[in-house]
Structure formats: structure tokens, C-alpha cells
Amino acid sequence: MSSVKQRVTVLGSTGSVGVSTLDVIARHPGRYAVVALKLPDQSGLRLIAGLHGVDPTTRIVVVTAYPSIETAVEAIKLGAVHYLATPVSADRLILAMLQDAGNADIALRDRPMSVHRITWEYIHHVLHENRGNISATARALSIDRRTLQRKLRKRPVAE
């Protein structure tokens, strides 16, 4: 694992993150990429296709502080090899990059998701359907826009 740590390059930029990152990667393609789900100018999901356009063999891991089932499924469909919720250690991140197959022995939940977590998931599903438009999402959910904004500022309910 230490040899992988030595080969990982961290790229950072300011301003137009998605575009400038793809420009840098086009000049210096890498074998591994860690993509944040929430970027200042776009969704990290949009970067996945761009990264695969530069190099289809790039192994992409999506990292987020706002995990949801819907974004996890979309990230995998778009070509990410793993989806991790923060906080995540460097060792866990490297293991995710190197993992080729799924884990059939992963622990299953003993109980269903809480009502609060289901609500959080549904709100984010409707927000995604409305392309991030908070006013349209509030209308679709029949709630006040300010109430929706307060709910969106909260972290997902831990399970």
C-alpha cells in the first residue's frame, strides 16, 4: 500500500473547479482519481464522464459528506469504482481504489432506515430531479422554500 501512496497526486484548484481539473488531468492523466460529490461549480458526478473521456482506465472514487443511495447508484453507473462517505482515512481511500470486486459479505442492516433518513433521501431525490433548483423542489414537495433550505443545510441522519 505504501507504493500506492507514493504514486497518488493530489490536484487542487480554485475558481472553476470542474473545468480546470479536467484541463490539468488532460495534460497529466492519472490511474486514480478522487472526486468530491459537491464541487463549487458543478456536481462531481459530471466529472466522472470527463475523467473517463481522458482515460477510460482511470479508477475513480467518489467521496462525499452528503451520501445518498441515489447519488451512490449514479456514481457507480457512471463508472466510479467506489463511493465513500466522509470522514474517510487515507488507507480506506486507497483500499477502495484498489478493490476490484464487490463484497458479498458486507454486513446487512438489522432494521429499516429511519423515517428521518427516508425523508432526507426523498428530498435529495426530488432536488436531483429538479436539477438543484430549490424553488422548484419546494413546489414539488409542497413545502416552503425556506423550510426546504433549512432541511438541506442539515447533514443526513446517521443510521
Side-chain angles (χ1 to χ4, degrees):
M1 191 169 346
S2 63
S3 65
V4 172
K5 285 182 184 177
Q6 294 169 353
R7 292 183 296 184
V8 173
T9 303
V10 177
L11 299 174
S13 63
T14 58
S16 183
V17 175
V19 174
S20 60
T21 302
L22 285 177
D23 290 343
V24 170
I25 290 170
R27 289 191 304 269
H28 308 287
R31 176 87 175 103
Y32 305 100
V34 178
V35 175
L37 185 63
K38 283 194 168 198
L39 297 172
D41 62 341
Q42 67 179 321
S43 164
L45 295 176
R46 293 191 183 278
L47 275 181
I48 296 172
L51 288 166
H52 278 297
V54 173
D55 182 359
T57 64
T58 302
R59 297 183 59 85
I60 301 167
V61 175
V62 175
V63 178
T64 182
Y66 304 94
S68 72
I69 295 167
E70 185 173 28
T71 55
V73 169
E74 289 304 316
I76 300 303
K77 283 181 178 178
L78 290 168
V81 296
H82 222 298
Y83 181 96
L84 300 172
T86 57
V88 61
S89 69
D91 289 339
R92 177 71 183 105
L93 192 58
I94 291 169
L95 286 173
M97 285 183 197
L98 299 176
Q99 184 179 0
D100 286 326
N103 182 1
D105 295 325
I106 195 165
L108 300 177
R109 301 169 63 89
D110 291 335
R111 58 191 173 102
M113 282 195 290
S114 69
V115 172
H116 295 292
R117 180 62 189 216
I118 292 170
T119 302
W120 192 89
E121 293 278 347
Y122 184 68
I123 287 171
H124 279 79
H125 168 76
V126 175
L127 183 63
H128 181 73
E129 284 182 342
N130 287 291
R131 298 186 174 158
N133 185 319
I134 292 176
S135 295
T137 301
R139 283 190 299 274
L141 294 171
S142 300
I143 62 174
D144 184 69
R145 180 184 51 79
R146 290 172 298 203
T147 301
L148 176 60
Q149 287 174 317
R150 280 192 299 274
K151 288 179 180 284
L152 291 172
R153 279 194 297 265
K154 294 180 180 179
R155 288 187 166 263
V157 178
E159 291 294 313

